[in-house]
């Protein structure tokens, strides 16, 4: 039996995921509930989240919820 300890797991604070890895992980998880178009729309919204006005957030979230059905 082989055993090993992982001191710094991928995605942890000491070994964070790259931005591309986070996008890939998001797409994989979100595609369980949303179609490809909705996944990309939500991802684009998240990527520009800091530049959105607070008033824009309900529309962004509403579109994601609507797409999930």
């Amino acid at each position: 039996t082989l055993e090993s300890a992982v001191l710094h797991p991928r995605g942890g604070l000491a070994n964070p995921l790259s931005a591309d890895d986070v996008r890939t992980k998001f797409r994989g998880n979100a595609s369980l509930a949303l179609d490809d178009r909705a996944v990309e729309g939500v991802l684009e919204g998240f990527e520009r989240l800091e530049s959105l006005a607070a008033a824009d957030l309900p529309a962004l979230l509403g579109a994601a919820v609507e797409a999930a059905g």
Side-chain angles (χ1 to χ4, degrees):
T1 302
L2 294 174
E3 289 186 29
S4 67
V6 177
L7 300 177
H8 304 290
R10 191 165 168 256
L13 290 176
N15 189 12
L17 295 174
S18 70
D20 284 338
D21 289 338
V22 171
R23 287 182 195 98
T24 299
K25 184 174 181 176
F26 175 80
R27 284 184 179 107
N29 288 314
S31 67
L32 298 173
L34 304 173
D35 64 30
D36 290 343
R37 183 172 170 245
V39 169
E40 292 307 313
V42 172
L43 188 56
E44 288 172 14
F46 285 150
E47 289 178 344
R48 55 189 179 96
L49 192 59
E50 290 181 358
S51 67
L52 291 175
D56 296 331
L57 295 178
L60 174 65
L61 297 174
V65 170
E66 185 176 306

Short mmCIF file of all heavy atoms in Angstrom, two decimals:
data_model
loop_
_atom_site.label_atom_id
_atom_site.label_comp_id
_atom_site.label_asym_id
_atom_site.label_seq_id
_atom_site.Cartn_x
_atom_site.Cartn_y
_atom_site.Cartn_z
N THR A 1 0.84 -1.17 0.00
CA THR A 1 0.00 0.00 0.00
C THR A 1 0.89 1.24 0.00
O THR A 1 1.78 1.37 0.83
CB THR A 1 -0.90 0.03 1.25
OG1 THR A 1 -1.68 -1.16 1.26
CG2 THR A 1 -1.79 1.24 1.23
N LEU A 2 0.61 2.13 -0.91
CA LEU A 2 1.34 3.39 -0.98
C LEU A 2 0.51 4.49 -0.34
O LEU A 2 -0.70 4.56 -0.53
CB LEU A 2 1.63 3.78 -2.42
CG LEU A 2 2.58 2.88 -3.20
CD1 LEU A 2 2.63 3.34 -4.64
CD2 LEU A 2 3.95 2.89 -2.58
N GLU A 3 1.17 5.32 0.39
CA GLU A 3 0.52 6.48 0.98
C GLU A 3 1.41 7.69 0.80
O GLU A 3 2.63 7.57 0.76
CB GLU A 3 0.29 6.27 2.48
CG GLU A 3 -0.77 5.27 2.81
CD GLU A 3 -1.06 5.22 4.30
OE1 GLU A 3 -0.88 6.25 4.98
OE2 GLU A 3 -1.47 4.15 4.76
N SER A 4 0.79 8.84 0.70
CA SER A 4 1.55 10.09 0.66
C SER A 4 0.69 11.20 1.22
O SER A 4 -0.53 11.15 1.17
CB SER A 4 2.00 10.43 -0.76
OG SER A 4 0.91 10.74 -1.56
N ALA A 5 1.37 12.18 1.75
CA ALA A 5 0.67 13.34 2.29
C ALA A 5 0.80 14.48 1.28
O ALA A 5 1.85 14.68 0.67
CB ALA A 5 1.28 13.76 3.61
N VAL A 6 -0.27 15.19 1.09
CA VAL A 6 -0.25 16.36 0.22
C VAL A 6 -0.24 17.58 1.12
O VAL A 6 -1.24 17.89 1.77
CB VAL A 6 -1.48 16.38 -0.72
CG1 VAL A 6 -1.48 17.63 -1.58
CG2 VAL A 6 -1.50 15.13 -1.58
N LEU A 7 0.89 18.23 1.19
CA LEU A 7 1.03 19.37 2.09
C LEU A 7 0.33 20.62 1.57
O LEU A 7 -0.18 21.42 2.35
CB LEU A 7 2.51 19.67 2.33
CG LEU A 7 3.31 18.53 2.97
CD1 LEU A 7 4.78 18.93 3.09
CD2 LEU A 7 2.73 18.15 4.32
N HIS A 8 0.31 20.78 0.27
CA HIS A 8 -0.30 21.97 -0.33
C HIS A 8 -1.19 21.54 -1.49
O HIS A 8 -0.80 21.55 -2.65
CB HIS A 8 0.78 22.95 -0.82
CG HIS A 8 1.73 23.36 0.25
ND1 HIS A 8 1.36 24.17 1.30
CD2 HIS A 8 3.02 23.04 0.46
CE1 HIS A 8 2.39 24.35 2.10
NE2 HIS A 8 3.41 23.67 1.63
N PRO A 9 -2.45 21.16 -1.19
CA PRO A 9 -3.33 20.68 -2.25
C PRO A 9 -3.63 21.76 -3.28
O PRO A 9 -3.67 22.95 -2.97
CB PRO A 9 -4.60 20.27 -1.50
CG PRO A 9 -4.56 21.02 -0.23
CD PRO A 9 -3.12 21.23 0.11
N ARG A 10 -3.83 21.32 -4.50
CA ARG A 10 -4.16 22.23 -5.60
C ARG A 10 -5.47 22.93 -5.28
O ARG A 10 -6.46 22.31 -4.91
CB ARG A 10 -4.29 21.42 -6.87
CG ARG A 10 -4.37 22.25 -8.10
CD ARG A 10 -4.13 21.35 -9.31
NE ARG A 10 -4.47 22.09 -10.48
CZ ARG A 10 -5.58 21.92 -11.18
NH1 ARG A 10 -6.44 21.00 -10.84
NH2 ARG A 10 -5.83 22.66 -12.23
N GLY A 11 -5.46 24.24 -5.38
CA GLY A 11 -6.64 25.03 -5.09
C GLY A 11 -6.65 25.57 -3.68
O GLY A 11 -7.52 26.34 -3.31
N GLY A 12 -5.66 25.20 -2.87
CA GLY A 12 -5.55 25.72 -1.51
C GLY A 12 -4.81 27.04 -1.50
O GLY A 12 -4.32 27.52 -2.53
N LEU A 13 -4.69 27.63 -0.33
CA LEU A 13 -4.02 28.94 -0.22
C LEU A 13 -2.57 28.90 -0.68
O LEU A 13 -2.09 29.84 -1.29
CB LEU A 13 -4.09 29.44 1.22
CG LEU A 13 -5.48 29.88 1.70
CD1 LEU A 13 -5.42 30.26 3.18
CD2 LEU A 13 -5.99 31.04 0.88
N ALA A 14 -1.88 27.81 -0.37
CA ALA A 14 -0.46 27.72 -0.72
C ALA A 14 -0.25 27.30 -2.18
O ALA A 14 0.85 27.41 -2.70
CB ALA A 14 0.25 26.74 0.20
N ASN A 15 -1.30 26.82 -2.84
CA ASN A 15 -1.20 26.35 -4.22
C ASN A 15 -2.50 26.69 -4.95
O ASN A 15 -3.26 25.81 -5.35
CB ASN A 15 -0.94 24.83 -4.23
CG ASN A 15 -0.62 24.31 -5.60
OD1 ASN A 15 -0.37 25.05 -6.53
ND2 ASN A 15 -0.65 22.99 -5.73
N PRO A 16 -2.78 27.98 -5.13
CA PRO A 16 -4.07 28.39 -5.70
C PRO A 16 -4.22 27.99 -7.16
O PRO A 16 -3.24 27.78 -7.88
CB PRO A 16 -4.05 29.91 -5.56
CG PRO A 16 -2.61 30.28 -5.48
CD PRO A 16 -1.90 29.11 -4.85
N LEU A 17 -5.48 27.88 -7.58
CA LEU A 17 -5.78 27.62 -8.98
C LEU A 17 -5.49 28.87 -9.80
O LEU A 17 -5.67 29.99 -9.33
CB LEU A 17 -7.25 27.25 -9.15
CG LEU A 17 -7.74 25.97 -8.50
CD1 LEU A 17 -9.26 25.85 -8.65
CD2 LEU A 17 -7.06 24.76 -9.09
N SER A 18 -5.09 28.65 -11.04
CA SER A 18 -4.93 29.79 -11.95
C SER A 18 -6.31 30.29 -12.36
O SER A 18 -7.32 29.61 -12.17
CB SER A 18 -4.15 29.35 -13.20
OG SER A 18 -4.96 28.50 -14.00
N ALA A 19 -6.35 31.46 -12.95
CA ALA A 19 -7.63 32.01 -13.42
C ALA A 19 -8.27 31.08 -14.44
O ALA A 19 -9.48 30.86 -14.43
CB ALA A 19 -7.42 33.41 -14.00
N ASP A 20 -7.46 30.50 -15.32
CA ASP A 20 -8.00 29.56 -16.32
C ASP A 20 -8.56 28.30 -15.65
O ASP A 20 -9.58 27.78 -16.08
CB ASP A 20 -6.94 29.18 -17.34
CG ASP A 20 -6.67 30.28 -18.35
OD1 ASP A 20 -7.55 31.15 -18.53
OD2 ASP A 20 -5.59 30.27 -18.96
N ASP A 21 -7.87 27.82 -14.61
CA ASP A 21 -8.36 26.64 -13.88
C ASP A 21 -9.69 26.93 -13.20
O ASP A 21 -10.59 26.09 -13.18
CB ASP A 21 -7.34 26.18 -12.84
CG ASP A 21 -6.10 25.54 -13.45
OD1 ASP A 21 -6.18 25.07 -14.60
OD2 ASP A 21 -5.07 25.52 -12.76
N VAL A 22 -9.83 28.14 -12.65
CA VAL A 22 -11.09 28.52 -11.99
C VAL A 22 -12.21 28.58 -13.02
O VAL A 22 -13.32 28.08 -12.77
CB VAL A 22 -10.94 29.86 -11.24
CG1 VAL A 22 -12.29 30.36 -10.74
CG2 VAL A 22 -9.96 29.72 -10.09
N ARG A 23 -11.93 29.16 -14.18
CA ARG A 23 -12.95 29.22 -15.23
C ARG A 23 -13.36 27.82 -15.68
O ARG A 23 -14.55 27.54 -15.86
CB ARG A 23 -12.42 30.01 -16.44
CG ARG A 23 -12.35 31.49 -16.20
CD ARG A 23 -11.87 32.21 -17.46
NE ARG A 23 -11.46 33.55 -17.14
CZ ARG A 23 -10.19 33.94 -16.94
NH1 ARG A 23 -9.20 33.06 -17.04
NH2 ARG A 23 -9.92 35.18 -16.62
N THR A 24 -12.39 26.94 -15.86
CA THR A 24 -12.68 25.57 -16.27
C THR A 24 -13.52 24.86 -15.22
O THR A 24 -14.50 24.17 -15.54
CB THR A 24 -11.37 24.80 -16.53
OG1 THR A 24 -10.66 25.45 -17.59
CG2 THR A 24 -11.63 23.36 -16.91
N LYS A 25 -13.16 25.03 -13.96
CA LYS A 25 -13.92 24.40 -12.88
C LYS A 25 -15.34 24.96 -12.83
O LYS A 25 -16.31 24.21 -12.67
CB LYS A 25 -13.20 24.63 -11.55
CG LYS A 25 -13.87 23.94 -10.38
CD LYS A 25 -13.05 24.08 -9.11
CE LYS A 25 -13.73 23.34 -7.97
NZ LYS A 25 -12.92 23.37 -6.74
N PHE A 26 -15.47 26.28 -12.97
CA PHE A 26 -16.79 26.89 -12.97
C PHE A 26 -17.64 26.34 -14.11
O PHE A 26 -18.80 25.98 -13.92
CB PHE A 26 -16.69 28.42 -13.08
CG PHE A 26 -18.04 29.06 -13.20
CD1 PHE A 26 -18.82 29.26 -12.07
CD2 PHE A 26 -18.55 29.42 -14.43
CE1 PHE A 26 -20.09 29.82 -12.18
CE2 PHE A 26 -19.81 29.98 -14.55
CZ PHE A 26 -20.57 30.18 -13.42
N ARG A 27 -17.08 26.29 -15.31
CA ARG A 27 -17.83 25.79 -16.46
C ARG A 27 -18.32 24.36 -16.22
O ARG A 27 -19.46 24.02 -16.53
CB ARG A 27 -16.98 25.84 -17.73
CG ARG A 27 -16.83 27.22 -18.30
CD ARG A 27 -16.04 27.20 -19.61
NE ARG A 27 -15.92 28.53 -20.15
CZ ARG A 27 -14.79 29.25 -20.13
NH1 ARG A 27 -13.68 28.76 -19.61
NH2 ARG A 27 -14.78 30.47 -20.64
N GLY A 28 -17.45 23.53 -15.67
CA GLY A 28 -17.83 22.15 -15.41
C GLY A 28 -18.97 22.03 -14.41
O GLY A 28 -19.91 21.26 -14.61
N ASN A 29 -18.90 22.81 -13.34
CA ASN A 29 -19.95 22.77 -12.33
C ASN A 29 -21.23 23.44 -12.80
O ASN A 29 -22.33 22.91 -12.62
CB ASN A 29 -19.47 23.40 -11.02
CG ASN A 29 -18.46 22.53 -10.31
OD1 ASN A 29 -18.66 21.34 -10.17
ND2 ASN A 29 -17.37 23.13 -9.88
N ALA A 30 -21.11 24.61 -13.40
CA ALA A 30 -22.29 25.36 -13.83
C ALA A 30 -23.04 24.64 -14.95
O ALA A 30 -24.26 24.73 -15.05
CB ALA A 30 -21.90 26.77 -14.27
N SER A 31 -22.31 23.89 -15.77
CA SER A 31 -22.97 23.20 -16.88
C SER A 31 -23.89 22.08 -16.41
O SER A 31 -24.68 21.56 -17.19
CB SER A 31 -21.93 22.66 -17.86
OG SER A 31 -21.19 21.62 -17.26
N LEU A 32 -23.81 21.73 -15.14
CA LEU A 32 -24.74 20.74 -14.58
C LEU A 32 -26.14 21.32 -14.46
O LEU A 32 -27.12 20.57 -14.41
CB LEU A 32 -24.25 20.26 -13.22
CG LEU A 32 -22.90 19.54 -13.20
CD1 LEU A 32 -22.45 19.27 -11.77
CD2 LEU A 32 -22.96 18.25 -14.01
N ALA A 33 -26.23 22.66 -14.38
CA ALA A 33 -27.53 23.30 -14.20
C ALA A 33 -27.91 24.25 -15.33
O ALA A 33 -29.08 24.58 -15.48
CB ALA A 33 -27.54 24.07 -12.87
N LEU A 34 -26.93 24.70 -16.11
CA LEU A 34 -27.18 25.72 -17.13
C LEU A 34 -26.72 25.24 -18.50
O LEU A 34 -25.79 24.43 -18.59
CB LEU A 34 -26.42 27.01 -16.79
CG LEU A 34 -26.67 27.65 -15.43
CD1 LEU A 34 -25.70 28.80 -15.21
CD2 LEU A 34 -28.11 28.12 -15.33
N ASP A 35 -27.32 25.79 -19.56
CA ASP A 35 -26.81 25.49 -20.89
C ASP A 35 -25.54 26.30 -21.14
O ASP A 35 -25.20 27.20 -20.36
CB ASP A 35 -27.87 25.72 -21.97
CG ASP A 35 -28.33 27.17 -22.09
OD1 ASP A 35 -27.53 28.09 -21.81
OD2 ASP A 35 -29.49 27.38 -22.48
N ASP A 36 -24.82 25.97 -22.21
CA ASP A 36 -23.53 26.62 -22.48
C ASP A 36 -23.63 28.13 -22.59
O ASP A 36 -22.77 28.86 -22.09
CB ASP A 36 -22.91 26.06 -23.78
CG ASP A 36 -22.44 24.63 -23.62
OD1 ASP A 36 -22.30 24.16 -22.48
OD2 ASP A 36 -22.22 23.97 -24.66
N ARG A 37 -24.69 28.60 -23.22
CA ARG A 37 -24.87 30.06 -23.39
C ARG A 37 -25.02 30.74 -22.03
O ARG A 37 -24.41 31.79 -21.78
CB ARG A 37 -26.08 30.33 -24.27
CG ARG A 37 -26.30 31.78 -24.56
CD ARG A 37 -27.42 31.94 -25.62
NE ARG A 37 -27.79 33.31 -25.71
CZ ARG A 37 -28.98 33.80 -25.38
NH1 ARG A 37 -29.93 32.99 -24.94
NH2 ARG A 37 -29.25 35.08 -25.49
N ALA A 38 -25.80 30.15 -21.15
CA ALA A 38 -26.00 30.73 -19.83
C ALA A 38 -24.73 30.68 -19.00
O ALA A 38 -24.40 31.63 -18.29
CB ALA A 38 -27.13 30.01 -19.11
N VAL A 39 -23.99 29.57 -19.10
CA VAL A 39 -22.73 29.45 -18.37
C VAL A 39 -21.78 30.56 -18.78
O VAL A 39 -21.19 31.24 -17.93
CB VAL A 39 -22.08 28.06 -18.61
CG1 VAL A 39 -20.66 28.03 -18.07
CG2 VAL A 39 -22.92 26.96 -17.99
N GLU A 40 -21.64 30.78 -20.07
CA GLU A 40 -20.73 31.82 -20.55
C GLU A 40 -21.22 33.21 -20.14
O GLU A 40 -20.42 34.08 -19.80
CB GLU A 40 -20.55 31.72 -22.06
CG GLU A 40 -19.80 30.48 -22.50
CD GLU A 40 -18.46 30.29 -21.80
OE1 GLU A 40 -17.68 31.26 -21.70
OE2 GLU A 40 -18.19 29.17 -21.35
N GLY A 41 -22.53 33.42 -20.15
CA GLY A 41 -23.08 34.71 -19.73
C GLY A 41 -22.80 35.00 -18.27
O GLY A 41 -22.40 36.11 -17.91
N VAL A 42 -22.98 34.01 -17.42
CA VAL A 42 -22.70 34.19 -15.99
C VAL A 42 -21.20 34.42 -15.79
O VAL A 42 -20.79 35.31 -15.04
CB VAL A 42 -23.18 32.97 -15.17
CG1 VAL A 42 -22.71 33.07 -13.73
CG2 VAL A 42 -24.69 32.86 -15.23
N LEU A 43 -20.38 33.65 -16.48
CA LEU A 43 -18.93 33.81 -16.35
C LEU A 43 -18.49 35.20 -16.77
O LEU A 43 -17.69 35.84 -16.09
CB LEU A 43 -18.23 32.74 -17.18
CG LEU A 43 -16.72 32.64 -17.03
CD1 LEU A 43 -16.32 32.41 -15.59
CD2 LEU A 43 -16.18 31.54 -17.91
N GLU A 44 -19.04 35.69 -17.87
CA GLU A 44 -18.71 37.05 -18.32
C GLU A 44 -19.15 38.08 -17.28
O GLU A 44 -18.44 39.05 -17.02
CB GLU A 44 -19.36 37.34 -19.66
CG GLU A 44 -18.73 36.59 -20.81
CD GLU A 44 -19.51 36.74 -22.11
OE1 GLU A 44 -20.39 37.62 -22.20
OE2 GLU A 44 -19.24 35.96 -23.03
N GLY A 45 -20.31 37.88 -16.69
CA GLY A 45 -20.79 38.78 -15.65
C GLY A 45 -19.87 38.78 -14.44
O GLY A 45 -19.55 39.84 -13.90
N PHE A 46 -19.44 37.59 -14.02
CA PHE A 46 -18.53 37.51 -12.88
C PHE A 46 -17.22 38.21 -13.18
O PHE A 46 -16.63 38.87 -12.32
CB PHE A 46 -18.24 36.06 -12.52
CG PHE A 46 -19.36 35.36 -11.80
CD1 PHE A 46 -19.54 34.00 -11.96
CD2 PHE A 46 -20.23 36.04 -10.97
CE1 PHE A 46 -20.57 33.34 -11.30
CE2 PHE A 46 -21.26 35.40 -10.32
CZ PHE A 46 -21.43 34.04 -10.48
N GLU A 47 -16.73 38.06 -14.41
CA GLU A 47 -15.44 38.64 -14.76
C GLU A 47 -15.48 40.17 -14.78
O GLU A 47 -14.46 40.82 -14.61
CB GLU A 47 -14.96 38.08 -16.09
CG GLU A 47 -14.53 36.63 -15.96
CD GLU A 47 -14.08 36.00 -17.26
OE1 GLU A 47 -14.36 36.56 -18.34
OE2 GLU A 47 -13.45 34.94 -17.19
N ARG A 48 -16.65 40.73 -14.95
CA ARG A 48 -16.74 42.20 -14.93
C ARG A 48 -17.48 42.70 -13.68
O ARG A 48 -17.91 43.84 -13.62
CB ARG A 48 -17.37 42.73 -16.21
CG ARG A 48 -18.68 42.19 -16.56
CD ARG A 48 -19.14 42.61 -17.96
NE ARG A 48 -20.41 41.99 -18.20
CZ ARG A 48 -21.59 42.59 -18.00
NH1 ARG A 48 -21.65 43.82 -17.62
NH2 ARG A 48 -22.70 41.94 -18.21
N LEU A 49 -17.59 41.85 -12.70
CA LEU A 49 -18.34 42.16 -11.49
C LEU A 49 -17.88 43.43 -10.81
O LEU A 49 -18.69 44.24 -10.37
CB LEU A 49 -18.25 40.98 -10.51
CG LEU A 49 -19.18 40.99 -9.33
CD1 LEU A 49 -20.63 41.00 -9.77
CD2 LEU A 49 -18.92 39.76 -8.47
N GLU A 50 -16.58 43.64 -10.74
CA GLU A 50 -16.06 44.83 -10.05
C GLU A 50 -16.44 46.12 -10.76
O GLU A 50 -16.50 47.17 -10.13
CB GLU A 50 -14.55 44.73 -9.90
CG GLU A 50 -14.14 43.67 -8.90
CD GLU A 50 -12.64 43.57 -8.72
OE1 GLU A 50 -11.90 44.32 -9.39
OE2 GLU A 50 -12.22 42.76 -7.89
N SER A 51 -16.68 46.04 -12.06
CA SER A 51 -17.02 47.27 -12.80
C SER A 51 -18.53 47.49 -12.90
O SER A 51 -18.95 48.53 -13.40
CB SER A 51 -16.40 47.21 -14.20
OG SER A 51 -17.01 46.20 -14.97
N LEU A 52 -19.32 46.54 -12.44
CA LEU A 52 -20.78 46.69 -12.50
C LEU A 52 -21.29 47.56 -11.36
O LEU A 52 -20.74 47.56 -10.27
CB LEU A 52 -21.47 45.33 -12.40
CG LEU A 52 -21.30 44.37 -13.56
CD1 LEU A 52 -21.94 43.04 -13.22
CD2 LEU A 52 -21.91 44.94 -14.81
N ALA A 53 -22.33 48.27 -11.63
CA ALA A 53 -23.01 49.02 -10.58
C ALA A 53 -23.89 48.04 -9.80
O ALA A 53 -24.33 47.02 -10.32
CB ALA A 53 -23.88 50.12 -11.19
N ALA A 54 -24.13 48.34 -8.54
CA ALA A 54 -24.96 47.48 -7.71
C ALA A 54 -26.33 47.26 -8.34
O ALA A 54 -26.91 46.18 -8.22
CB ALA A 54 -25.09 48.08 -6.31
N ALA A 55 -26.82 48.24 -9.05
CA ALA A 55 -28.13 48.13 -9.69
C ALA A 55 -28.14 47.09 -10.81
O ALA A 55 -29.21 46.60 -11.19
CB ALA A 55 -28.56 49.49 -10.24
N ASP A 56 -26.97 46.73 -11.34
CA ASP A 56 -26.89 45.75 -12.41
C ASP A 56 -26.92 44.31 -11.91
O ASP A 56 -27.17 43.38 -12.68
CB ASP A 56 -25.60 45.94 -13.22
CG ASP A 56 -25.56 47.27 -13.94
OD1 ASP A 56 -26.63 47.79 -14.29
OD2 ASP A 56 -24.44 47.80 -14.13
N LEU A 57 -26.64 44.10 -10.64
CA LEU A 57 -26.54 42.74 -10.11
C LEU A 57 -27.83 41.93 -10.19
O LEU A 57 -27.79 40.75 -10.57
CB LEU A 57 -26.00 42.76 -8.67
CG LEU A 57 -24.58 43.27 -8.53
CD1 LEU A 57 -24.17 43.31 -7.06
CD2 LEU A 57 -23.61 42.42 -9.34
N PRO A 58 -28.99 42.50 -9.86
CA PRO A 58 -30.21 41.67 -9.97
C PRO A 58 -30.44 41.13 -11.38
O PRO A 58 -30.86 39.99 -11.54
CB PRO A 58 -31.32 42.65 -9.55
CG PRO A 58 -30.64 43.60 -8.65
CD PRO A 58 -29.27 43.79 -9.25
N ALA A 59 -30.15 41.91 -12.40
CA ALA A 59 -30.32 41.44 -13.77
C ALA A 59 -29.37 40.30 -14.08
O ALA A 59 -29.75 39.30 -14.70
CB ALA A 59 -30.13 42.58 -14.76
N LEU A 60 -28.13 40.42 -13.64
CA LEU A 60 -27.14 39.37 -13.86
C LEU A 60 -27.56 38.09 -13.17
O LEU A 60 -27.58 37.01 -13.77
CB LEU A 60 -25.76 39.83 -13.36
CG LEU A 60 -24.66 38.78 -13.39
CD1 LEU A 60 -24.34 38.40 -14.83
CD2 LEU A 60 -23.42 39.31 -12.70
N LEU A 61 -27.93 38.18 -11.92
CA LEU A 61 -28.33 36.99 -11.17
C LEU A 61 -29.66 36.44 -11.66
O LEU A 61 -29.85 35.24 -11.72
CB LEU A 61 -28.40 37.32 -9.67
CG LEU A 61 -27.07 37.73 -9.04
CD1 LEU A 61 -27.28 38.17 -7.61
CD2 LEU A 61 -26.07 36.61 -9.12
N GLY A 62 -30.57 37.33 -12.03
CA GLY A 62 -31.85 36.90 -12.54
C GLY A 62 -31.72 36.10 -13.82
O GLY A 62 -32.41 35.11 -14.03
N ALA A 63 -30.80 36.51 -14.69
CA ALA A 63 -30.58 35.79 -15.93
C ALA A 63 -30.06 34.39 -15.65
O ALA A 63 -30.46 33.42 -16.31
CB ALA A 63 -29.60 36.55 -16.81
N ALA A 64 -29.19 34.26 -14.66
CA ALA A 64 -28.66 32.94 -14.31
C ALA A 64 -29.76 32.05 -13.74
O ALA A 64 -29.87 30.88 -14.10
CB ALA A 64 -27.53 33.09 -13.31
N VAL A 65 -30.58 32.59 -12.87
CA VAL A 65 -31.67 31.81 -12.28
C VAL A 65 -32.69 31.41 -13.33
O VAL A 65 -33.14 30.26 -13.37
CB VAL A 65 -32.35 32.62 -11.14
CG1 VAL A 65 -33.62 31.94 -10.67
CG2 VAL A 65 -31.38 32.81 -9.98
N GLU A 66 -33.00 32.33 -14.22
CA GLU A 66 -33.96 32.04 -15.29
C GLU A 66 -33.43 30.95 -16.21
O GLU A 66 -34.16 30.04 -16.61
CB GLU A 66 -34.22 33.31 -16.11
CG GLU A 66 -35.28 33.14 -17.17
CD GLU A 66 -35.56 34.46 -17.88
OE1 GLU A 66 -35.85 35.45 -17.21
OE2 GLU A 66 -35.47 34.44 -19.13
N ALA A 67 -32.13 31.00 -16.53
CA ALA A 67 -31.53 30.00 -17.40
C ALA A 67 -31.53 28.62 -16.74
O ALA A 67 -31.63 27.61 -17.42
CB ALA A 67 -30.12 30.41 -17.78
N ALA A 68 -31.43 28.60 -15.42
CA ALA A 68 -31.41 27.32 -14.70
C ALA A 68 -32.80 26.69 -14.69
O ALA A 68 -32.94 25.49 -14.48
CB ALA A 68 -30.90 27.53 -13.28
N GLY A 69 -33.83 27.52 -14.90
CA GLY A 69 -35.20 27.03 -14.98
C GLY A 69 -35.71 26.61 -13.66
O GLY A 69 -36.40 25.82 -13.32
#
